[in-house]
DNA sequence: CTTACGGCCTGGGTGC
DNA sequence: TGCACCCAGGCCGTAA
């Protein structure tokens, strides 16, 4: 479910309610195989106060400070700052709700807050990730990620893309190249830029790269404005669905008419993922198979 | 280093 | 109704 616009929407929702709140308790379900070191959550989180929430691609980082941060001895560098890293995977949901509200199935983490509410993490498939970040680990994480698609310059984008020989679809979804793009927004951006998903990064023309840069920026900002795409089960931190799925031009439109040229949208596996495109206005590269 | 691919996990939809 | 099969917005580890 969640790509950059969905995660941004969740983060904005959390920023309205979490900063200043204190975590008073932690409860985990029996299935914590997707959590790195579950015991560290129970050890580190209680008693901390939320300082802010940041997003890096599809990762959320909740900043936390420990009250009277000097209490822990023998840790010279410890200034009381830690962070909670969360990734929603395919089916993760974060909701802040009254503690007495009914608990949906597959809810695996409950953070009790000092205002009587709970931050809950629900994830059917458990492809998400949760872990504590200590000093330096946050920089290490960011260092492994590529450019932020909304902050990169056109020059940086061109340099990054045209120096790679992989298929453009794979490049856009590779979090070490760009951070935040997933299957939906990649297909939508490629359609806008009239570029076939199987084209190779090195073979894109100057004007195609420029069109793609603009397409990505447009798709992502519009999707954020619509509070993300709810294709199946995405909801924001208030449990609300997004609306950008109403504006999809190719995603899940196999067999329907292209909004631009009237061609028939096709579906094919590219870079291991289901990919939607218009074979008429997104010309396939030669060689390989044609479509 | 880069690129390609299978696997992880559960549920919903489809076709027989 | 039951059941096998395919599909799903993510990432990671492995192999070439």
């Amino acid at each position: 479910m969640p790509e950059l616009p969905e995660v941004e929407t969740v983060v904005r929702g959390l920023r309205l309610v979490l900063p200043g709140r204190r975590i008073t308790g932690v409860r985990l379900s029996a299935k914590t195989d997707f959590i790195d070191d579950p015991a560290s959550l129970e050890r580190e989180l209680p008693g901390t106060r939320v300082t802010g929430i940041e997003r890096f691609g599809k990762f959320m980082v909740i900043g936390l400070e420990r009250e009277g941060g000097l209490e822990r001895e023998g840790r010279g560098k410890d200034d009381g700052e830690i962070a909670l890293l969360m990734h929603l995977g395919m089916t993760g949901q974060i909701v802040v709700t009254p503690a007495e509200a009914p608990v949906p199935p597959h809810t695996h983490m409950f953070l009790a807050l000092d205002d009587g509410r709970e931050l809950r993490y629900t994830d059917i498939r458990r492809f998400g990730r949760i872990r504590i970040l200590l000093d330096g680990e946050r920089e290490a994480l960011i260092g492994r990620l590529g450019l932020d698609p909304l902050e990169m310059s056109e020059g940086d984008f061109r340099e990054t893309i045209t120096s790679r020989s992989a298929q453009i679809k794979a490049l856009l979804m590779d979090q070490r190249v760009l951070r935040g793009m997933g299957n939906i927004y990649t297909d939508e951006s490629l359609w806008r830029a009239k570029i076939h998903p199987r084209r190779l990064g090195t073979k894109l023309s100057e004007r195609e790269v420029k069109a793609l840069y603009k397409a990505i920026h447009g798709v992502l900002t519009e999707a954020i404005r619509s509070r993300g795409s709810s294709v199946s089960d995405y909801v924001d931190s208030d449990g609300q669905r997004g609306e950008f799925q109403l504006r999809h031009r190719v995603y899940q439109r196999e067999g329907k008419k292209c909004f631009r040229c009237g061609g028939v949208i096709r579906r094919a596996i590219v870079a291991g993922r289901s990919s939607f495109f218009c074979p008429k206005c997104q010309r396939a590269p030669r060689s390989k198979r044609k479509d």
Side-chain angles (χ1 to χ4, degrees):
Chain A
M1 96 169 81
E3 305 181 29
L4 188 153
E6 289 76 32
V7 180
E8 177 66 21
T9 303
V10 170
V11 165
R12 289 182 184 186
L14 294 178
R15 280 183 186 140
L16 297 177
V17 296
L18 283 188
R21 294 270 66 84
R22 203 162 59 89
I23 296 175
T24 57
V26 176
R27 192 156 54 86
L28 303 175
S29 78
K31 289 186 178 177
T32 55
D33 52 344
F34 69 102
I35 299 176
D36 295 352
D37 193 2
S40 70
L41 301 188
E42 297 168 315
R43 192 174 62 238
E44 302 284 348
L45 295 180
T48 59
R49 193 178 292 279
V50 176
T51 55
I53 301 105
E54 290 179 289
R55 179 184 60 77
F56 300 100
K58 301 172 195 169
F59 288 97
M60 283 174 273
V61 177
I62 300 178
L64 301 163
E65 67 182 356
R66 190 172 299 287
E67 317 248 287
L70 300 176
E71 286 169 14
R72 307 168 82 210
E73 303 150 40
R75 280 165 130 259
K77 278 191 69 178
D78 190 353
D79 57 358
E81 286 279 344
I82 61 172
L84 181 64
L85 175 73
M86 305 188 75
H87 192 296
L88 301 173
M90 293 272 255
T91 51
Q93 297 179 345
I94 294 176
V95 169
V96 178
T97 185
E100 58 273 19
V103 177
H106 305 289
T107 301
H108 298 299
M109 183 180 74
F110 305 77
L111 301 184
L113 304 174
D114 61 356
D115 63 357
R117 291 194 286 181
E118 275 181 345
L119 182 154
R120 294 176 180 169
Y121 181 77
T122 304
D123 189 346
I124 293 175
R125 291 168 75 181
R126 306 203 302 282
F127 283 1
R129 270 181 67 191
I130 298 177
R131 64 166 297 182
I132 296 285
L133 294 180
L134 300 175
D135 299 326
E137 291 180 318
R138 151 213 213 85
E139 282 65 37
L141 164 80
I142 300 165
R144 273 183 260 117
L145 297 173
L147 304 171
D148 183 310
L150 293 178
E151 291 172 5
M152 65 185 178
S153 72
E154 193 181 312
D156 287 340
F157 179 64
R158 186 192 325 118
E159 171 66 27
T160 310
I161 293 301
T162 57
S163 62
R164 305 290 219 94
S165 67
Q167 295 176 328
I168 187 64
K169 167 105 182 185
L171 289 177
L172 296 184
M173 291 205 305
D174 186 339
Q175 303 301 298
R176 293 162 302 184
V177 175
L178 291 189
R179 57 179 197 247
M181 301 280 287
N183 205 33
I184 293 178
Y185 297 106
T186 295
D187 280 6
E188 293 295 322
S189 298
L190 288 171
W191 178 83
R192 272 197 202 195
K194 302 185 188 175
I195 296 171
H196 192 284
R198 268 200 254 269
R199 295 282 304 285
L200 305 184
T202 43
K203 302 255 182 129
L204 295 186
S205 72
E206 185 105 355
R207 65 183 304 151
E208 285 176 323
V209 170
K210 187 173 208 140
L212 185 52
Y213 175 80
K214 291 183 113 169
I216 290 170
H217 200 279
V219 165
L220 293 179
T221 52
E222 289 165 33
I224 290 171
R225 212 176 298 140
S226 299
R227 301 186 341 275
S229 302
S230 289
V231 170
S232 59
D233 42 21
Y234 164 72
V235 292
D236 68 16
S237 59
D238 289 323
Q240 297 280 316
R241 290 166 56 81
E243 289 178 348
F244 195 69
Q245 69 279 7
L246 303 175
R247 297 202 138 74
H248 291 171
R249 307 279 89 166
V250 280
Y251 182 72
Q252 287 193 340
R253 295 196 65 247
E254 181 182 19
K256 298 187 176 158
K257 281 193 176 170
C258 174
F259 280 103
R260 187 165 48 210
C261 74
V264 179
I265 302 301
R266 301 202 39 180
R267 169 180 174 274
I269 302 299
V270 181
R273 307 302 302 277
S274 185
S275 303
F276 300 87
F277 56 93
C278 171
K280 200 168 159 197
C281 53
Q282 294 169 267
R283 307 299 298 175
R286 304 153 267 304
S287 72
K288 295 283 175 176
R289 311 191 64 76
K290 60 156 197 179
D291 3 343

